[in-house]
Amino acid sequence: MKRDAIREFFRRLAAANPHPTTELEYGTPYQLLVAVVLSAQATDKSVNLATRKLFTVAPTPEAMITLGEEGVAEYIKTIGLFRNKAKNTVALSRLLLERHGGEVPHDRAALEALPGVGRKTANVVLNTVFGDSVMAVDTHIFRLANRTGLAPGKDVLAVEHALMRRVPKEYLQDAHHWLILHGRYVCTARKPACGACIVRDLCEFRDKTA
């Protein structure tokens, strides 16, 4: 996709949704961090259903540690890989208290040092909590970036780097939210809704649906 088309691509997404944000429900940076960890290989909807109850009883790192792995597991057992995620949630809560006074650090390396936190999770937190212009590439963004010709890449890191180069600076802070939402609801995996797509004419996907 050419530069002018990319700028128009994001101009339209921005006009349609001027203030995009995550669909995960949270009240504090800590709760967002936990929710993103729980969302790996799970839908935001399923995570929200679990955390509405979990965060009522364990809204802080201290409370999460007190609840313990088995207690956390009971609240998140409807989510895939719940036992490992419960273990990571308690462990990251403990490390936040030990290393950062219970606060979510504004530092990529410190975030990625926490159990269950990879590059994508760190990017979501850096962007949503701290307003950093970073790109959290999930399966939706990876698919959309390759399918549309926006930022092709063989793996998520390649796509992330390509997007950081190609997305116009003024759109970069909100870009990953626009792309996730577009991939989740319009440019879906099996049957993209090309007929309802506001950037259809800019997209280089050859097999557009009616």
Side-chain angles (χ1 to χ4, degrees):
M1 192 182 294
K2 295 182 178 179
R3 294 285 180 176
D4 289 346
I6 292 174
R7 185 173 297 279
E8 177 62 12
F9 184 100
F10 283 101
R11 187 198 69 77
R12 294 183 194 178
L13 294 181
N17 185 5
H19 305 291
T21 189
T22 179
E23 292 188 318
L24 290 170
E25 297 173 1
Y26 68 99
T28 65
Y30 167 72
Q31 291 175 10
L32 176 66
L33 174 62
V34 171
V36 180
V37 168
L38 296 181
S39 71
Q41 299 181 47
T43 65
D44 287 0
K45 182 178 179 180
S46 68
V47 172
N48 289 338
L49 288 172
T51 57
R52 284 170 195 164
K53 295 180 180 179
L54 174 63
F55 291 156
T56 298
V57 298
T60 65
E62 295 90 342
M64 198 72 73
I65 293 169
T66 299
L67 186 59
E69 289 182 28
E70 289 301 317
V72 173
E74 279 299 306
Y75 284 94
I76 66 170
K77 60 186 178 182
T78 55
I79 301 174
L81 306 175
F82 73 94
R83 291 199 179 279
N84 190 53
K85 290 178 180 179
K87 180 179 179 180
N88 285 337
T89 297
V90 173
L92 74 83
S93 299
R94 185 171 288 111
L95 285 182
L96 283 178
L97 287 171
E98 292 175 356
R99 298 179 181 177
H100 308 289
E103 299 297 321
V104 175
H106 186 182
D107 179 86
R108 177 187 299 283
L111 286 168
E112 291 187 23
L114 298 171
V117 179
R119 185 177 182 87
K120 186 197 78 173
T121 296
N123 280 343
V124 171
V125 173
L126 291 171
N127 178 265
T128 305
V129 173
F130 299 107
D132 291 1
S133 295
V134 293
M135 188 67 60
V137 178
D138 68 350
T139 55
H140 295 300
I141 293 182
F142 181 76
R143 176 181 67 252
L144 189 153
N146 279 286
R147 176 185 281 169
T148 63
L150 176 64
K154 63 181 180 180
D155 54 41
V156 293
L157 188 59
V159 168
E160 178 187 333
H161 289 163
L163 286 168
M164 293 297 294
R165 292 192 306 269
R166 294 170 67 81
V167 176
K169 186 176 180 179
E170 64 267 33
Y171 296 118
L172 191 55
Q173 184 173 339
D174 290 322
H176 102 265
H177 288 305
W178 283 317
L179 295 177
I180 286 173
L181 294 171
H182 195 68
R184 184 174 292 165
Y185 297 112
V186 181
C187 195
T188 54
R190 295 185 180 181
K191 191 177 180 181
C194 299
C197 179
I198 61 174
V199 291
R200 175 190 174 106
D201 58 309
L202 304 171
C203 170
E204 296 183 0
F205 183 43
R206 294 181 179 181
D207 301 318
K208 292 185 175 72
T209 60

